[in-house]
Amino acid sequence: MLREMGLGPIWRLRSRADAEAQPQEEAGAAAAPAEGPGLQACAQASTPAQPAVAKGMPAELLPATGSRPAGSGNAGRAAPTEYGHAAPSAATSMPRAPAPVARSHGADAERTRRIAALGWDELEADIRNCAACVLCERRRQAVPGVGDRRARWMLVGEGPGAEEDLRGEPFVGQAGKLLDNMLAAIGLKRGEDVYIANAVKCRPPHNRTPEAGEVAACLPYLERQIELVQPRLLVALGRPAAQALLETEVRIGAARGKLFEYRGIPVVVTYHPAYLLRNPQDKARAWEDLCFARRCMRERELQQ
């Protein structure tokens, strides 16, 4: 399963021309942890895995001593992080996100109150008929969410892509296949104890990053989905999803390995699968994040 995620050894010698043509790429990619994808590996992941070095690797390809590559969100590279330290436990005091942004008076406030009272069927029907922002103008269909409505795990992505817009289900296509492999690596399966949703429910044109007003228009739907599911752990996939949940500026590189909170629910931040398809060198980091999330879930359950 880890091999399907692209976490097998991927060291390769590049020519000087390749290095000059792609200066933004890492000097080497991190290999998967030695343990398999079982729960034992996640339980032992109290500290993130360090990048492995292939035997006989040329000196010019070795990572710099004591350094780690910078993380990244959907919007680009972020600054290096102190993720080399031991990851906090779920019992550790979690950084609290700012209080929810105050709703405006009038129609918006009334709409928010109305959505907050909807059941599942009414909520999904409302999402499919929503015209609260310009994204409705070019969609084929809105994409509410999919999965177990009483799941312990809830994953939140950015927004639908072209195939999701066509099929009406989040995370299909290549990004969806990678997400399924990521879930399987920690013993989970789509539709079983997992609910998947997006910060915005309609496809942004050309798959661009959703604008702040578009996220705000969809936020009451996401909030209601979380209230209905009542997950024990939220996983934010990518920067827009993390910012929608935490209501503050987020840089993925700085947020990884930390436990945040959304209205009493722990939040773990990691990369979006679409980003990992474009940047496979960060798949090993995503594996670290999955093990961290699994360990946090275990510790939370022991506390209850």
Side-chain angles (χ1 to χ4, degrees):
M1 190 60 64
L2 292 180
R3 184 174 296 278
E4 295 180 14
M5 286 179 62
L7 290 175
I10 55 176
W11 295 105
R12 63 185 179 88
L13 179 63
R14 294 188 299 177
S15 67
R16 183 176 299 274
D18 289 337
E20 294 175 351
Q22 297 179 318
Q24 76 280 10
E25 291 186 359
E26 311 291 346
E35 293 88 357
L39 301 183
Q40 182 179 1
C42 293
Q44 294 173 348
S46 58
T47 57
Q50 298 296 320
V53 175
K55 185 177 181 180
M57 180 180 298
E60 62 270 24
L61 295 183
L62 295 176
T65 302
S67 67
R68 293 184 61 83
S72 176
N74 290 347
R77 293 273 168 194
T81 176
E82 298 295 331
Y83 192 59
H85 297 299
S89 69
T92 304
S93 177
M94 296 181 289
R96 288 186 176 272
V101 176
R103 303 294 182 183
S104 59
H105 296 288
D108 288 346
E110 176 59 31
R111 173 176 176 266
T112 298
R113 287 193 294 269
R114 180 181 58 79
I115 292 172
L118 297 177
W120 273 114
D121 294 341
E122 295 85 0
L123 179 64
E124 293 195 350
D126 206 76
I127 291 173
R128 296 186 189 282
N129 294 318
C130 179
C133 74
V134 297
L135 294 184
C136 70
E137 298 173 359
R138 300 177 62 178
R139 74 183 182 209
R140 287 185 175 87
Q141 59 183 316
V143 183
V146 68
D148 185 348
R149 292 179 174 180
R150 302 298 296 176
R152 294 179 304 156
W153 294 76
M154 183 167 176
L155 280 59
V156 180
E158 177 178 330
E163 194 162 353
E164 288 85 354
D165 182 53
L166 184 64
R167 294 172 55 179
E169 180 177 338
F171 286 95
V172 294
Q174 292 302 311
K177 291 178 182 178
L178 178 55
L179 180 61
D180 290 344
N181 289 336
M182 293 167 67
L183 291 173
I186 56 172
L188 298 174
K189 184 178 181 180
R190 180 188 293 249
E192 297 179 8
D193 205 20
V194 177
Y195 188 84
I196 305 172
N198 280 313
V200 297
K201 312 305 184 185
C202 299
R203 181 196 179 195
H206 309 294
N207 292 351
R208 63 163 171 77
T209 300
E211 297 176 356
E214 296 161 354
V215 174
C218 261
L219 190 57
Y221 290 134
L222 179 60
E223 291 174 341
R224 184 55 179 159
Q225 287 176 314
I226 295 172
E227 289 176 2
L228 290 171
V229 175
Q230 298 182 2
R232 295 189 180 180
L233 184 72
L234 285 160
V235 180
L237 302 171
R239 186 178 181 185
Q243 293 183 164
L245 290 172
L246 304 180
E247 300 188 68
T248 189
E249 184 70 20
V250 174
R251 302 187 71 174
I252 300 297
R256 291 181 56 247
K258 298 177 182 178
L259 203 58
F260 297 89
E261 181 183 292
Y262 168 88
R263 301 184 184 182
I265 304 172
V267 178
V268 172
V269 176
T270 189
Y271 300 104
H272 193 285
Y275 166 84
L276 294 173
L277 291 174
R278 300 190 302 270
N279 299 271
Q281 71 273 9
D282 283 330
K283 287 182 177 180
R285 290 178 172 180
W287 167 244
E288 294 171 359
D289 298 338
L290 291 173
C291 288
F292 173 57
R294 180 61 179 148
R295 185 169 60 84
C296 291
M297 173 69 83
R298 281 186 162 186
E299 293 182 5
R300 182 168 173 79
E301 291 178 339
L302 289 175
Q303 293 173 359
Q304 296 177 345

